[in-house]
Amino acid sequence: HCFYDLQGDPLPGLLTTLPTSVSSLSHLVHLDLSFNQLSCLPSCLLSLPVLSSLLLCHNHLSALPPDIGQLCSLTYLSLLGNELVSLPPSLGQLKALQTLDISHNLLQQLPDEIGSLEELVKLELSHNKLKQLPESMGSLLSLRELVINSNDLRLIPHCLNNLPRLKIDVRDNPLGQPTTPPPLPPTPDQAETKIPELHLGFNQHSFCISSAGCHVFLPGGAELLFPPGCLLTTTRLEWVERRPERKWVWLEEHDILLSRPLELRPHGITFLKPVEVCVPYRRTKRREVVVQRFDGQSWSTLPTVLRRGSESHSSHPSGRPARLACCAVSQFSWFMAVSRPVKDSCCVTPAGTLLVSSSDPGIKLHFPPDSTVQIRTITLQVLQVSVSDVQSLCGDPQASVSPLLCLSQTPSIHFLQPIKVQVPLPSGVTGHTVDMSCLHLLHGDPTAQTWTDITSQVSLSVTHLYAIFYVTHFSWYWLWYTTQRCVSGVVRKVYQRLKQFKVQFLVLQRKTDPSQVMLQCLPSNKVDGRVQSLSEQYEGPQPSDLCDLLEGEQFFAGFERGLDISTERPDCMEGRLCFVFYSSLKNLKEVYICPASGQKGPVRGQVSFYRGEIPNNLPEELARKRKGHDSQWLATLPLRLPALNSENNFIMEELQHPPLNLGDPESGYLTEANLLSISLQIGQDWRVIGINLGLSYQELDRIQYKYR
């Protein structure tokens, strides 16, 4: 189980060992250490005299201690999901053991001493690498169930015929098949030939591929791998990187676009062998990255493999290879990389099953037998939420939340039996400290965007770390711990705000040509670095105040008060540029501006940013002074265009700065005010001067933040 701090970040590390004081728990009967990072069995456990159940599932155990036989009272031992290669002979000393689960390990053989487990009733050995079973297993007279599916067994020993009441599961084993001979060394004709490489420039949008195949490197980091024999004849292919448009780039509720759509043509061409398409993407935290393909009507998700690009083809200035999301396709289309909450799926049969979240193993769905008649496909997505964000949005410093569960199924009909759902308790809350009157289970409707408090309608109970409830239909579920009363309204408001990004707008002019203007919208945490990287070539007003935008939301930039765009553009309507905000993309456009008709001399205009549709019939006072509430207006930044001389060149004015003032012996040679007065003249070197004249790094950081 992952624990989180007050900011919603995971605490570093899980259990790797236990204190020696555990050995003093002389009455301990049941111990569950599953889902930790144990690499060896703590020696203190071997001193527990009455321990009867020990669960060590999903750790990193590679071996068991040779004296594990000291646990003489053990009746249940589960080692599922570890890295065990072998078992010690002392395992046969566990005379009271009734259930032993060693499935999903790396076992290649079993010790003969396993036949000494006289009380063993159930033995789980599935998903290992066993090639044979020991003859001593014929002595397991109490054994009733043996699960050995998904191994490498080619023969079942005759000794098991002495156990007539034994049920055996032998699926997915090569029973009766001969041993696979070792592969022959490749002949010279079969030796793998090196695939030729082709590096394209930004203006090279077509290339030819022959039957020999080719590894094509596109500008920006994308790669295309054509294997030999994928085409019979030499064929000309094309690529183009599209600007994402809302009318055909469709994202699900919590998706984030990580790349511009890559179009590969011709669409109708079919390859004889799968072609690997690798799309570059930016790093994303605690989410999975997938490649989606557009077939002309809808987007579908492809099986995706993540890897680094070629060392010789880096799209980063520092030389690091790009991160690539790769998929294998047989036809060309549109492709893009998307980040989404980790999605886990399973098929539920009438026999029931268990679904555990891969992003948070503390989240489990238990499907009991007979909960369905037909096979259903279940999908579980977990959205981690920052507790500090929730507290600031709802105004409750004591509020805390569990991860948001997004559950769906196909077909979408109610279950015949209630489904048990286990989720971690909200951060900072335990079963001993919880006030059940403050614990609320919210049901979300993704279509209507509503949240309903269903705490009184479900059976909600808690353990020390988890909350458990039962449902018969799937939707969104969110566990809250808050002292507020109107929980549904608060949750709806918080959920809407959590989907928004805090952004700032940049309006910069090229120093050598003020008519060239760059407009950009970035998440606020990326603005400072961007402004610093552009400071040598561009200048302009400070970034705008913080605004809220949704992933994929449309906004417009309008030039006002005597300014206009000098050229016609397809993305420009009535003098306003159309943008679509994607948090991982640059959201950048460069345009040339000119004075509006009838304007002479220098122009002091402005650029305003608006939501959604283009605003019409704006009041004159609103155009002059952007203050107060406006449902469409986002921000306004000043913009100045110098006058033209007789040769249509801009009259550049030299900036006048006051003389340098480094202070005096009485007040100090560099006060904060003096440092600020010279900062415009010396640029980023003001920090170096401040250090040399005695200011500390902490003081410099405080000044920079205060006057950022």
Side-chain angles (χ1 to χ4, degrees):
H1 172 62
C2 288
F3 294 91
Y4 299 92
D5 58 19
L6 295 178
Q7 285 70 39
D9 298 323
L11 292 173
L14 298 172
L15 278 180
T16 58
T17 185
L18 293 177
T20 56
S21 57
V22 173
S23 60
S24 62
L25 302 176
S26 57
H27 297 286
L28 184 63
V29 176
H30 179 92
L31 180 59
D32 188 349
L33 295 171
S34 303
F35 297 102
N36 280 289
Q37 294 185 1
L38 298 173
S39 58
C40 62
L41 190 67
S43 58
C44 59
L45 298 182
L46 302 178
S47 304
L48 300 174
V50 296
L51 184 64
S52 62
S53 297
L54 178 58
L55 290 85
L56 297 163
C57 310
H58 297 286
N59 278 276
H60 303 290
L61 300 176
S62 57
L64 296 178
D67 48 355
I68 192 174
Q70 296 181 19
L71 295 172
C72 55
S73 300
L74 209 58
T75 61
Y76 185 97
L77 176 59
S78 179
L79 299 162
L80 178 149
N82 280 279
E83 302 165 8
L84 296 173
V85 179
S86 62
L87 299 176
S90 59
L91 189 70
Q93 300 175 16
L94 302 177
K95 301 297 184 180
L97 195 61
Q98 298 178 9
T99 301
L100 177 58
D101 187 351
I102 331 174
S103 56
H104 291 272
N105 277 276
L106 305 173
L107 296 175
Q108 298 185 9
Q109 61 181 3
L110 299 176
D112 291 333
E113 288 77 5
I114 199 170
S116 303
L117 302 176
E118 301 172 353
E119 300 296 326
L120 194 63
V121 177
K122 181 177 180 180
L123 180 56
E124 270 270 8
L125 298 169
S126 61
H127 295 277
N128 277 283
K129 299 182 178 181
L130 296 173
K131 299 182 181 296
Q132 61 181 5
L133 299 177
E135 290 289 337
S136 61
M137 291 183 63
S139 303
L140 300 175
L141 300 181
S142 300
L143 193 62
R144 297 292 179 266
E145 186 174 355
L146 176 61
V147 183
I148 52 176
N149 62 285
S150 302
N151 278 279
D152 195 22
L153 296 171
R154 302 177 187 277
L155 181 67
I156 301 298
H158 294 289
C159 63
L160 296 182
N161 295 332
N162 301 328
L163 308 174
R165 300 176 62 183
L166 179 63
K167 293 170 53 179
I168 308 180
D169 184 353
V170 296
R171 295 171 298 158
D172 299 325
N173 279 285
L175 295 175
Q177 299 181 13
T179 305
T180 305
L184 297 174
T187 62
D189 295 337
Q190 295 175 336
E192 184 178 354
T193 58
K194 183 176 177 60
I195 299 179
E197 294 184 356
L198 177 61
H199 296 259
L200 300 180
F202 282 97
N203 296 325
Q204 296 175 283
H205 287 278
S206 65
F207 53 94
C208 292
I209 300 297
S210 66
S211 58
C214 189
H215 193 171
V216 181
F217 297 89
L218 304 182
E223 298 182 15
L224 307 174
L225 182 58
F226 298 87
C230 66
L231 291 171
L232 294 178
T233 59
T234 301
T235 306
R236 178 169 292 277
L237 307 174
E238 298 178 354
W239 73 275
V240 62
E241 199 174 53
R242 296 292 186 186
R243 187 181 297 274
E245 298 182 11
R246 297 176 66 216
K247 62 182 180 182
W248 62 280
V249 173
W250 305 320
L251 298 176
E252 295 186 8
E253 185 73 15
H254 304 291
D255 291 355
I256 294 177
L257 183 63
L258 299 181
S259 71
R260 298 178 67 174
L262 175 65
E263 183 182 4
L264 302 176
R265 298 190 296 244
H267 296 167
I269 189 172
T270 301
F271 299 100
L272 302 178
K273 295 181 179 180
V275 174
E276 186 178 43
V277 177
C278 298
V279 182
Y281 69 94
R282 296 180 180 271
R283 182 178 62 177
T284 180
K285 295 182 179 179
R286 297 168 66 178
R287 299 168 68 94
E288 68 175 344
V289 178
V290 296
V291 176
Q292 294 188 348
R293 176 179 60 190
F294 186 65
D295 59 7
Q297 295 183 346
S298 62
W299 289 91
S300 59
T301 301
L302 303 177
T304 305
V305 176
L306 305 182
R307 65 174 177 86
R308 283 284 189 176
S310 172
E311 293 286 348
S312 60
H313 182 68
S314 173
S315 62
H316 297 275
S318 59
R320 292 180 291 110
R323 290 181 172 85
L324 297 178
C326 304
C327 61
V329 299
S330 57
Q331 289 185 331
F332 272 178
S333 184
W334 292 267
F335 303 90
M336 66 182 185
V338 172
S339 163
R340 67 184 186 186
V342 177
K343 183 176 290 188
D344 298 293
S345 300
C346 73
C347 290
V348 179
T349 65
T353 189
L354 170 67
L355 177 60
V356 181
S357 169
S358 59
S359 63
D360 188 342
I363 298 175
K364 300 178 182 179
L365 304 180
H366 297 258
F367 298 88
D370 301 323
S371 60
T372 180
V373 176
Q374 54 186 319
I375 298 178
R376 308 190 192 194
T377 300
I378 303 300
T379 300
L380 164 65
Q381 283 185 292
V382 178
L383 185 65
Q384 302 290 348
V385 180
S386 170
V387 175
S388 59
D389 290 345
V390 171
Q391 293 174 348
S392 62
L393 291 174
C394 69
D396 182 2
Q398 305 300 322
S400 185
V401 295
S402 294
L404 170 60
L405 304 188
C406 302
L407 308 178
S408 60
Q409 60 169 327
T410 305
S412 182
I413 54 179
H414 286 203
F415 288 94
L416 302 179
Q417 299 286 343
I419 308 304
K420 178 182 176 182
V421 182
Q422 172 185 296
V423 296
L425 284 170
S427 177
V429 180
T430 66
H432 297 304
T433 63
V434 63
D435 181 355
M436 294 298 293
S437 64
C438 298
L439 197 62
H440 302 271
L441 180 63
L442 280 300
H443 169 270
D445 185 341
T447 304
Q449 295 287 306
T450 58
W451 291 90
T452 306
D453 190 345
I454 60 171
T455 310
S456 61
Q457 305 171 23
V458 298
S459 174
L460 178 63
S461 60
V462 299
T463 65
H464 181 60
L465 296 175
Y466 302 100
I468 297 173
F469 59 92
Y470 294 84
V471 296
T472 56
H473 68 281
F474 277 0
S475 185
W476 292 355
Y477 295 96
W478 203 358
L479 190 64
W480 273 61
Y481 191 80
T482 178
T483 57
Q484 297 193 6
R485 295 184 178 181
C486 186
V487 182
S488 299
V490 172
V491 174
R492 181 170 60 252
K493 170 188 172 184
V494 170
Y495 178 74
Q496 291 295 332
R497 293 292 300 273
L498 287 176
K499 293 193 301 180
Q500 297 176 344
F501 291 85
K502 294 292 184 182
V503 303
Q504 290 177 276
F505 298 96
L506 300 179
V507 177
L508 301 174
Q509 292 174 275
R510 187 173 287 274
K511 293 181 179 180
T512 57
D513 184 2
S515 65
Q516 185 177 350
V517 178
M518 186 190 72
L519 306 132
Q520 190 169 14
C521 175
L522 288 173
S524 57
N525 60 337
K526 301 179 181 179
V527 169
D528 290 342
R530 180 63 174 168
V531 171
Q532 184 174 350
S533 65
L534 295 173
S535 58
E536 292 186 4
Q537 298 179 347
Y538 291 86
E539 60 184 357
Q542 293 295 315
S544 71
D545 293 335
L546 292 177
C547 303
D548 294 322
L549 283 179
L550 296 170
E551 181 79 7
E553 183 176 356
Q554 188 180 46
F555 67 93
F556 293 86
F559 291 89
E560 302 168 342
R561 299 182 63 181
L563 295 178
D564 202 353
I565 299 178
S566 60
T567 57
E568 294 185 0
R569 297 168 56 105
D571 57 351
C572 181
M573 301 174 58
E574 299 182 9
R576 290 179 170 87
L577 285 172
C578 175
F579 290 79
V580 180
F581 172 75
Y582 293 103
S583 57
S584 293
L585 303 187
K586 292 184 177 180
N587 310 304
L588 178 149
K589 293 185 181 182
E590 288 198 74
V591 297
Y592 284 92
I593 62 172
C594 61
S597 58
Q599 292 285 339
K600 295 182 179 180
V603 179
R604 296 184 180 273
Q606 63 187 25
V607 179
S608 294
F609 296 89
Y610 305 93
R611 297 182 187 275
E613 299 178 356
I614 301 175
N616 295 319
N617 302 322
L618 288 175
E620 183 179 353
E621 62 274 9
L622 189 60
R624 288 199 308 266
K625 192 173 184 180
R626 299 291 179 181
K627 289 186 178 180
H629 175 71
D630 188 330
S631 61
Q632 292 178 321
W633 173 77
L634 289 166
T636 296
L637 293 174
L639 194 61
R640 183 177 184 277
L641 193 61
L644 295 173
N645 58 21
S646 58
E647 299 177 356
N648 285 331
N649 294 324
F650 289 105
I651 303 175
M652 307 297 290
E653 297 181 1
E654 293 291 335
L655 293 176
Q656 299 295 325
H657 296 288
L660 292 179
N661 178 12
L662 297 180
D664 52 62
E666 295 182 2
S667 62
Y669 279 102
L670 191 64
T671 63
E672 180 176 327
N674 292 336
L675 186 60
L676 291 173
S677 70
I678 66 171
S679 62
L680 294 177
Q681 302 173 59
I682 61 178
Q684 294 299 318
D685 290 336
W686 71 271
R687 292 180 64 93
V688 178
I689 295 177
I691 292 172
N692 291 333
L693 293 179
L695 286 179
S696 65
Y697 284 101
Q698 292 80 5
E699 186 70 11
L700 290 172
D701 290 339
R702 185 191 66 78
I703 295 174
Q704 182 172 358
Y705 181 78
K706 181 178 179 181
Y707 297 98
R708 63 190 181 279

